[in-house]
Amino acid sequence: MKFKFSKMHGCGNDYVYADCTQQEMSNPEAVAKYVSRYHYGIGSDGLILICPSETADFKMRMFNADGSEGKMCGNGIRCVAKYVYDHGLTDKNPVSIETLAGTKEIELTVENGKVTEARVDMGKPETRPRMIPMITDHYIFVDQSLVLRETSIVGTDNKTYKEKFFFNGTAVSMGNPHFIVFVPDVDALDLEDLGPQFEHHKLFPEGVNTEFAQVLDENTVKFRVWERGSGETLACGTGACAVTYACMKLKKAGSMNKPLNVHARGGLLKVTYCSENDHIYLQGPAVEVFTGEIEIPDCEL
Ligand SMILES: N[C@H](CCC[C@H](N)C(=O)O)C(=O)O
């Protein structure tokens, strides 16, 4: 199977993008696994398809490195908007893109005919447990935060994890599930060890993206992320929005209608909570690195 692709990233959260406006791709789950392998494929956090839509200008389908389909991708949707504008598929600005988490509107910043950054209306954050989804039996809430105390957990992958860990976190959905844990020093964490324990915790029946956040001052927070289906990535757009909402809800940082500076390992995202419509707005760069064509042996699919 052969297809043309564009390699793009938002703050280092990189995906392989395939233009499927003329022809759909069969078994994208298998393609996502192949292109994400860092030494045998192209190397990426996953695959994003740009598809036609009956209800919006375009549709985005995103697949994590393990082939699982995500409902929304904040860094990815900025790159989709850049792709369709730069490659002449549309001259609209703003552009609307349908996702499994609803249709999003993206305002483009254009310099010399190319999109350099974009601002996404990410919609409303959701914190009701059953909407995350999160099963909160046997857990307690402490001042709106969820306190996990486990002697040992068996994950949804039936592995038994760490004898004891204790975290105080907050769950927010941006159309996909996030659990935000505030820590004193994100750089001191061993995410390879911690990440899977949250991702596969029975508390989250559909898995979870986990952000470890460190407040630097009232206008600045930094975070690392262990993404569901992709592991640690250099940035997570929906995660930055979830972190911003958690910071405001717990009065740790940020203020309404003013951008919070959210530093991911791969770059800076500016996130604003608008009190007028309860929507969160995500602003950040979108970069096309190179284009190419790849032939994937049928035996790999
Ligand atoms: N791993 C996520 C999808 C990608 C989100 C992230 N890359 C972003 O920029 O929002 C999930 O399965 O819900």
Side-chain angles (χ1 to χ4, degrees):
M1 179 249 201
K2 187 187 283 190
F3 71 95
K4 288 188 170 42
F5 68 86
S6 180
K7 184 74 183 345
M8 305 179 82
H9 74 85
C11 295
N13 184 203
D14 62 326
Y15 293 94
V16 168
Y17 291 74
D19 179 346
C20 296
T21 53
Q22 304 304 319
Q23 182 184 354
E24 70 178 88
M25 181 184 284
S26 58
N27 63 9
E29 296 81 359
V31 174
K33 286 182 190 173
Y34 186 84
V35 299
S36 62
R37 286 183 207 148
Y38 289 92
H39 301 288
Y40 300 99
I42 300 168
S44 69
D45 290 327
L47 172 73
I48 289 185
L49 307 185
I50 299 157
C51 309
S53 168
E54 292 176 10
T55 57
D57 297 324
F58 296 92
K59 177 163 73 174
M60 172 178 79
R61 291 187 72 193
M62 78 77 49
F63 297 84
N64 295 301
D66 67 355
S68 61
E69 184 165 10
K71 290 184 177 163
M72 178 51 193
C73 182
N75 288 318
I77 203 168
R78 295 199 311 277
C79 291
V80 168
K82 171 178 174 65
Y83 182 93
V84 297
Y85 188 91
D86 289 6
H87 289 258
L89 275 66
T90 185
D91 58 2
K92 293 176 98 173
N93 184 5
V95 62
S96 62
I97 294 175
E98 178 191 349
T99 76
L100 290 177
T103 293
K104 312 294 179 187
E105 188 165 272
I106 300 98
E107 288 172 25
L108 308 175
T109 301
V110 181
E111 292 171 14
N112 305 319
K114 297 287 187 191
V115 173
T116 53
E117 71 165 35
R119 185 173 188 263
V120 188
D121 178 349
M122 299 287 283
K124 296 188 178 186
E126 173 63 72
T127 56
R128 288 171 293 175
R130 60 187 163 75
M131 303 300 285
I132 299 296
M134 185 165 72
I135 301 168
T136 52
D137 312 349
H138 318 308
Y139 295 89
I140 54 172
F141 281 84
V142 173
D143 60 31
Q144 296 191 44
S145 272
L146 187 68
V147 177
L148 303 185
R149 184 174 291 125
E150 292 286 332
T151 51
S152 72
I153 59 165
V154 176
T156 49
D157 54 0
N158 289 323
K159 286 183 193 159
T160 299
Y161 286 104
K162 230 73 177 130
E163 276 311 295
K164 183 174 177 56
F165 70 92
F166 172 93
F167 275 95
N168 177 323
T170 299
V172 180
S173 171
M174 291 303 300
N176 58 352
H178 293 271
F179 192 64
I180 300 94
V181 182
F182 289 94
V183 296
D185 179 1
V186 292
D187 297 319
L189 297 177
D190 177 357
L191 256 60
E192 291 292 333
D193 174 45
L194 274 178
Q197 297 184 56
F198 286 89
E199 179 183 3
H200 302 298
H201 198 286
K202 61 181 184 296
L203 178 67
F204 302 104
E206 294 179 9
V208 72
N209 302 287
T210 308
E211 286 79 27
F212 301 90
Q214 178 184 346
V215 176
L216 301 180
D217 63 44
E218 63 178 334
N219 300 311
T220 316
V221 63
K222 67 189 277 194
F223 78 104
R224 290 172 67 190
V225 56
W226 182 270
E227 280 200 29
R228 172 177 67 171
S230 289
E232 181 167 16
T233 60
L234 293 184
C236 177
T238 49
C241 297
V243 165
T244 299
Y245 192 67
C247 283
M248 291 183 55
K249 196 171 85 160
L250 300 178
K251 297 181 175 41
K252 288 182 179 287
S255 48
M256 289 183 181
N257 310 309
K258 185 181 164 199
L260 181 67
N261 296 308
V262 185
H263 290 275
R265 297 186 94 174
L268 172 64
L269 293 165
K270 288 184 177 287
V271 185
T272 305
Y273 171 78
C274 175
S275 55
E276 200 176 300
N277 59 5
D278 187 30
H279 282 208
I280 291 191
Y281 295 83
L282 169 69
Q283 183 159 350
V287 177
E288 182 173 52
V289 184
F290 64 93
T291 59
E293 186 171 43
I294 183 168
E295 179 143 26
I296 304 178
D298 290 344
C299 63
E300 289 284 355
L301 298 175

